[in-house]
Amino acid sequence: MIEVFHHYPLKEHNTFGISAFAKAYTSIITLQQLKEALAYFHGSDKFLLGGGSNMLILNDIEKPVLHINLTGIERIRANGNLVQLKVAAGENWHKLVLYCVENNLAGIENLALIPGNTGTAPIQNIGAYGVELKDVFVSCEVMDLESGMKRTLTAAECNFGYRDSVFKNEALGKYVITSVTLELTDLNETSDYDLKINYGAIKEEMERLDGEASIAKVAQAVINIRSSKLPDPKVIGNSGSFFKNPVIEKGKYQDLLQSFPDMPSYAVNEGHVKIPAGWLIDQSGFKGKRYGDAGIHDKQALVLVNHGNATGNEILNVAKEIQKMVKTTYGILIETEVNLIEN
Ligand code: EPU
């Protein structure tokens, strides 16, 4: 049985805390309910809601909203030192990280405190501190929104890139992800595992913490760093990085260095570098600015925030101003990382 609610408030279901309504809304806690909902709303486009952590809602949502709240973590295979976990789409990502740390399963500790659910993690191939979901991803189960048929997609079929996957491209709007299978190193069986601590401030933060180096310590270091720079959505509405870090040609970067000798970069490949969008925005003077209730976080310029009652469009206007300024100053287009939801 599914229960459908009309004019359902979404403010609590998007981490930006935008007040908007769903014309029709249903919460899905079983695969059977998912099938029923697909049949019930057959013929109309659906809006899939997970943790609501990577979206900016611009208007009320006309499409039926299916809130994917499937839960369960299953150990499906243990092969020597490796364990595969099949995680239902509605499981909170950070809770999964904590579960893995508690159970001595290594691989996602660097991804602590990323908001959102496990089922939406593949869509933008979540990443932080030198690790991306694709590093531990085996496959995901999906249901075709049209036919209701189940399918398994392998890592290769997901075609992961930097904050990118097939789900943002060819398969956009085609499937609902129902579970994700990850392969992790079982530290109860082996100690042969390299902690990834060379990215950013992890090493320094770990030195400040007591005890031996461990996945728990890495997770704690990431939690500390993230909490010091990124606003807690429960306190102040936000969606993490609002923009992607732009990738530009090396030649263009060399030219820019003439005028902006301090511009940082990360190597991408022989011909390209990635520029931290946070730096570009910060240099353009936006950090901590506020326009009504829409603004830019005071500790990380890449994060746009809702100080209370900003509308999606007010936040989008700030984003457009930022994009314009960065384009004018550096000739670089910074693209949004957050999904803009029109209706
Ligand atoms: N910087 C500034 N001012 C700022 C922010 C950044 O000057 O206000 C400069 C600094 O030089 C800093 C550099 O930009 O060294 C990079 O900043 P930082 O390491 O804080 O993060 P980032 O590279 O901008 C990316 C991800 C984050 C992820 C961190 C850590 C993107 C768009 N963002 O940010 O992901 O947590 O690296 O790995 O790739 C997210 O996707 O929501 C997210 C938070």
Side-chain angles (χ1 to χ4, degrees):
M1 273 285 283
I2 58 165
E3 196 174 358
V4 177
F5 298 90
H6 295 279
H7 198 63
Y8 188 84
L10 297 172
K11 192 172 166 77
E12 300 295 321
H13 297 303
N14 71 99
T15 59
F16 249 124
I18 301 294
S19 175
F21 291 84
K23 199 166 179 185
Y25 165 100
T26 186
S27 170
I28 306 285
I29 60 168
T30 65
L31 283 175
Q32 182 55 32
Q33 281 184 328
L34 179 57
K35 278 200 181 130
E36 281 177 39
L38 293 183
Y40 184 86
F41 293 112
H42 193 76
S44 31
D45 282 347
K46 287 106 189 141
F47 183 84
L48 301 171
L49 179 64
S53 63
N54 202 37
M55 57 168 70
L56 180 64
I57 305 180
L58 301 173
N59 297 301
D60 286 345
I61 300 185
E62 300 291 319
K63 295 172 187 167
V65 173
L66 311 190
H67 194 179
I68 307 303
N69 289 315
L70 303 161
T71 53
I73 301 177
E74 208 185 325
R75 201 180 261 250
I76 54 168
R77 187 178 301 162
N79 187 357
N81 300 333
L82 299 172
V83 164
Q84 288 190 2
L85 293 185
K86 179 176 164 184
V87 186
E91 287 289 342
N92 173 271
W93 176 263
H94 180 61
K95 272 199 194 152
L96 174 66
V97 172
L98 296 180
Y99 170 92
C100 290
V101 169
E102 275 156 27
N103 287 281
N104 260 329
L105 302 176
I108 56 173
E109 57 283 355
N110 293 50
L111 303 179
L113 220 59
I114 294 186
N117 289 349
T118 306
T120 42
I123 300 175
Q124 58 154 339
N125 180 26
I126 58 168
Y129 302 100
V131 175
E132 287 184 328
L133 178 75
K134 73 171 171 55
D135 303 336
V136 293
F137 182 95
V138 176
S139 62
C140 61
E141 286 184 337
V142 299
M143 197 179 275
D144 187 300
L145 288 171
E146 262 308 296
S147 66
M149 296 274 281
K150 280 200 222 166
R151 237 193 102 175
T152 300
L153 295 185
T154 62
E157 286 169 317
C158 290
N159 201 13
F160 292 119
Y162 165 59
R163 297 293 191 275
D164 200 28
S165 75
V166 72
F167 302 107
K168 282 185 151 187
N169 297 287
E170 298 90 311
L172 181 71
K174 189 165 165 50
Y175 301 117
V176 47
I177 298 170
T178 54
S179 74
V180 176
T181 298
L182 307 178
E183 187 164 80
L184 304 158
T185 302
D186 187 351
L187 298 181
N188 302 305
E189 298 289 334
T190 181
S191 54
D192 184 14
Y193 176 76
D194 292 327
L195 297 174
K196 291 165 201 70
I197 57 172
N198 290 323
Y199 190 102
I202 296 194
K203 214 183 265 170
E204 289 160 37
E205 184 60 32
M206 283 181 68
E207 277 160 16
R208 252 176 260 149
L209 300 171
D210 292 334
E212 294 282 293
S214 64
I215 56 170
K217 206 166 156 180
V218 172
Q220 192 56 53
V222 170
I223 289 170
N224 294 355
I225 299 167
R226 285 187 76 100
S227 339
S228 71
K229 292 204 290 198
L230 299 170
D232 178 353
K234 288 195 198 89
V235 180
I236 179 163
N238 77 92
S239 247
S241 304
F242 195 88
F243 299 100
K244 288 197 260 196
N245 289 334
V247 175
I248 63 169
E249 284 177 4
K250 258 194 182 153
K252 179 167 180 173
Y253 177 59
Q254 297 301 343
D255 291 347
L256 282 164
L257 279 180
Q258 305 294 319
S259 316
F260 308 102
D262 297 335
M263 186 183 282
S265 69
Y266 310 115
V268 173
N269 56 36
E270 286 228 326
H272 294 85
V273 293
K274 206 187 266 180
I275 311 293
W279 187 89
L280 299 170
I281 300 167
D282 193 356
Q283 295 290 308
S284 303
F286 283 104
K287 192 144 85 178
K289 280 217 170 156
R290 189 171 167 165
Y291 308 83
D293 270 354
I296 298 109
H297 188 49
D298 56 358
K299 297 192 187 73
Q300 163 59 287
L302 196 49
V303 179
L304 300 193
V305 290
N306 175 6
H307 287 285
N309 293 312
T311 65
N313 280 296
E314 283 166 348
I315 291 186
L316 183 60
N317 285 340
V318 174
K320 284 182 177 162
E321 274 308 306
I322 292 174
Q323 277 173 320
K324 211 160 52 179
M325 181 69 101
V326 169
K327 178 82 190 159
T328 313
T329 314
Y330 303 98
I332 297 175
L333 173 69
I334 52 170
E335 293 177 56
T336 58
E337 198 232 87
V338 168
N339 296 308
L340 304 178
I341 311 302
E342 305 274 357
N343 52 46

